[in-house]
Amino acid sequence: MSLNAPQIIEALAGLVGPGAVIGDPARMGAFLNEPRKRFHQSAVAVVQPGSVEEVQAVARWANGNGVKLIPQGGNTGLVGAQVPLYGNEVIVSLVRLNRVRSVNADAGNMTVEAGLTLEEAHRAAEAEGAMLPLWIASQGSARIGGVLSSNAGGIQVLAYGNARELCLGVEAVLADGRLYRGLNALKKDNTGYDLKDLLVGAEGTLGIITAATLKLFPLPEAHETAFISLASPTQALELFYRLRQRAGSQLTAFELMPRFGIDLQLKHGMIARDPSAGPSPWYALAEISVPRGGAHGVLQAGLEAALADGTITDAVVAESLDDRNLMWATREQMSDVQSREGASIKHDVSVPIAAVPQLIAEGSAAVERIVPGIRPCPFGHLGDGNIHFNLSQPVGVDGKAFMAGAEPVHEAIYEIVTRLGGSISAEHGIGQLKTELLKSHKDPVALEMMRAIKQALDPNGTLNPGKVLG
């Protein structure tokens, strides 16, 4: 017998206390309104457990009573994994599990709870003289549980890897309420399957992450940052290769941007001035992190050599923290500014690094044939092959009409990505947005394995129903 909303709310209140349950839809806005405003289902309730034991109690009760749960961190996800799909789910908000359990800078790890924001984790590490090198635009709101569940990437994947590679261990509540105690600080542990890697990136479909042990690194002594003018993505790729040869793992970021995105930010007042040396079709933002006692001037030397042989046309090297902040703000606002300009079709894709110029050239030509006057704004992490292939509506075209014709544009971009050996979702995940796309592009055997894992860990379909596998 299925329970109605009042019965569910009453039962949850008995488990975690009435003050930790929200049943009034008018108070659920912060938990339902996701960044892209694409998903608009309600929830039966929002429950905010205050301890791991309370998360276990909620899962155990829900699994036994046919109530579906959606784990949620900071509600910053872009594919709808963290918000309802059907309207009969309960959101499990982890915001109250926000403790820093330990920081060991010398050993290079910290253990934090899932509700801690990424920015708070940064501050906790830096207070001990260490660095957690995971930087994303939403880090002030994104929480560790969601960051790991979505396997977030960001601007330093080039040197340090994505969230999965920065995670040593997790603690997670399974669908039936059992607790997986996988917190450890081991870099070597060959004792069977790596269960941590199942839970990281699973988007809350296999377990509710409640805490994690993360890798820390020494704080750099300095940063060398430059905004570099280039003729094309091909030249940007050549520059990347050269800087990586010079700097190795000290090259911690290499981002690609078109002039169009900078012009939009100047137009809409999002940056006070142009960070570049002047108009150019393309730009790269490169950063070298200098370790304590390391050599300075590596970036400057590399740029001088590239300028001499024509690989680049100009560059601005940051001379102050304000300069560096402006350069990074320009990069981080590339996506947001498109919303101010009107409707935009977005793709989070990856291809082998060497194929990035081909992706941009073929993709831009393909979408122009479909929608004449469309304005491509491909940008992103050239250093790891992840490009946000975004497309702004043509000038004077109705935004709703533009978005209504998005499907052929999607198909064109994904066809090119697949042909080049890439991925239809580089860092945002699948959620509820790309479930059908996953079915049509993922290897059938991989899908069978994923379904078998889901069935083994969550046979009742309690956790995040309909997400990822559909």
Side-chain angles (χ1 to χ4, degrees):
M1 179 179 175
S2 60
L3 302 176
N4 59 33
Q7 290 172 322
I8 292 172
I9 292 167
E10 181 181 3
L12 291 173
L15 295 172
V16 301
V21 180
I22 300 172
D24 181 1
R27 296 175 53 211
M28 295 185 193
F31 304 94
L32 299 175
N33 301 326
E34 44 77 37
R36 290 190 173 166
K37 300 177 173 58
R38 298 188 64 142
F39 310 106
H40 307 285
Q41 276 288 6
S42 59
V44 173
V46 176
V47 60
Q48 298 176 297
S51 67
V52 174
E53 291 75 18
E54 288 186 352
V55 177
Q56 289 184 264
V58 168
R60 190 179 302 114
W61 174 84
N63 192 60
N65 287 276
V67 175
K68 309 305 181 185
L69 302 178
I70 301 174
Q72 187 182 99
N75 193 17
T76 60
L78 299 176
V79 291
Q82 78 282 9
V83 292
L85 174 60
Y86 303 110
N88 62 350
E89 305 99 323
V90 170
I91 293 174
V92 182
S93 170
L94 280 300
V95 295
R96 294 177 61 204
L97 272 67
N98 59 0
R99 292 186 304 126
V100 176
R101 294 189 185 176
S102 67
V103 180
N104 190 331
D106 291 333
N109 63 74
M110 69 188 306
T111 299
V112 298
E113 293 185 339
L116 193 75
T117 68
L118 182 52
E119 194 168 85
E120 289 168 338
H122 287 160
R123 290 200 295 266
E126 289 165 8
E128 299 298 324
M131 173 183 66
L132 173 62
L134 180 58
W135 302 89
I136 58 178
S138 60
Q139 60 198 32
S141 304
R143 297 177 187 273
I144 295 299
V147 165
L148 292 174
S149 292
S150 62
N151 189 27
I155 60 175
Q156 292 192 321
V157 171
L158 166 63
Y160 299 104
N162 53 24
R164 177 178 281 117
E165 293 171 279
L166 290 170
C167 182
L168 290 166
V170 299
E171 172 189 272
V173 173
L174 302 184
D176 59 6
R178 288 178 296 160
L179 183 65
Y180 168 63
R181 295 178 173 87
L183 290 177
N184 67 64
L186 301 176
K187 291 188 176 182
K188 292 183 176 180
D189 180 12
N190 281 336
T191 54
Y193 304 136
D194 192 336
L195 301 177
K196 157 186 67 73
D197 279 354
L198 279 182
L199 294 162
V200 175
E203 301 184 54
T205 61
L206 302 179
I208 303 174
I209 294 175
T210 52
T213 301
L214 306 173
K215 295 178 185 177
L216 299 180
F217 294 81
L219 278 169
E221 181 177 88
H223 294 99
E224 297 178 353
T225 311
F227 211 89
I228 306 153
S229 303
L230 302 132
S232 73
T234 300
Q235 274 66 52
L237 184 63
E238 178 62 27
L239 177 65
F240 167 68
Y241 289 154
R242 294 188 184 190
L243 290 180
R244 186 174 59 177
Q245 287 174 348
R246 283 179 175 266
S249 61
Q250 292 177 35
L251 179 64
T252 48
F254 195 95
E255 301 289 305
L256 180 69
M257 291 163 279
R259 179 69 203 184
F260 175 58
I262 296 175
D263 286 339
L264 287 186
Q265 293 186 54
L266 291 168
K267 173 184 175 181
H268 293 284
M270 294 182 73
I271 51 177
R273 58 182 173 85
D274 189 340
S276 73
S280 175
W282 293 90
Y283 300 93
L285 173 55
E287 185 162 279
I288 287 176
S289 297
V290 182
R292 191 173 304 165
H296 291 255
V298 175
L299 181 58
Q300 181 77 36
L303 294 177
E304 288 174 356
L307 187 61
D309 65 21
T311 301
I312 68 174
T313 57
D314 213 336
V316 175
V317 177
E319 296 181 351
S320 67
L321 182 58
D322 285 345
D323 287 347
R324 179 175 181 252
N325 288 342
L326 174 64
M327 292 175 181
W328 276 113
T330 303
R331 160 59 185 88
E332 290 168 355
Q333 294 169 173
M334 277 283 158
S335 183
D336 290 346
V337 74
Q338 290 182 272
S339 299
R340 302 195 185 192
E341 183 68 6
S344 63
I345 299 171
K346 301 179 186 294
H347 306 89
D348 165 47
V349 297
S350 64
V351 293
I353 296 170
V356 168
Q358 185 178 351
L359 166 67
I360 293 174
E362 290 191 19
S364 297
V367 298
E368 172 64 26
R369 290 192 294 269
I370 298 168
V371 184
I374 198 169
R375 294 177 290 169
C377 189
F379 69 94
H381 320 297
L382 176 61
D384 60 39
N386 176 195
I387 296 297
H388 300 290
F389 209 126
N390 294 357
L391 304 148
S392 287
Q393 66 183 66
V395 175
V397 169
D398 177 72
K400 290 184 178 179
F402 173 67
M403 294 305 294
E407 194 55 36
V409 174
H410 289 314
E411 290 175 359
I413 295 297
Y414 292 136
E415 186 280 324
I416 296 167
V417 167
T418 302
R419 175 161 43 84
L420 293 176
S423 169
I424 54 143
S425 186
E427 61 182 2
H428 294 166
I430 299 299
Q432 57 183 284
L433 179 64
K434 296 184 177 181
T435 53
E436 293 305 312
L437 199 59
L438 183 71
K439 293 175 186 176
S440 61
H441 286 77
K442 194 75 173 176
D443 173 63
V445 174
L447 286 172
E448 290 174 6
M449 294 170 68
M450 291 163 68
R451 293 187 186 107
I453 293 167
K454 173 68 172 175
Q455 178 63 27
L457 293 181
D458 184 15
N460 295 339
T462 298
L463 296 177
N464 231 358
K467 311 293 176 56
V468 183
L469 294 173

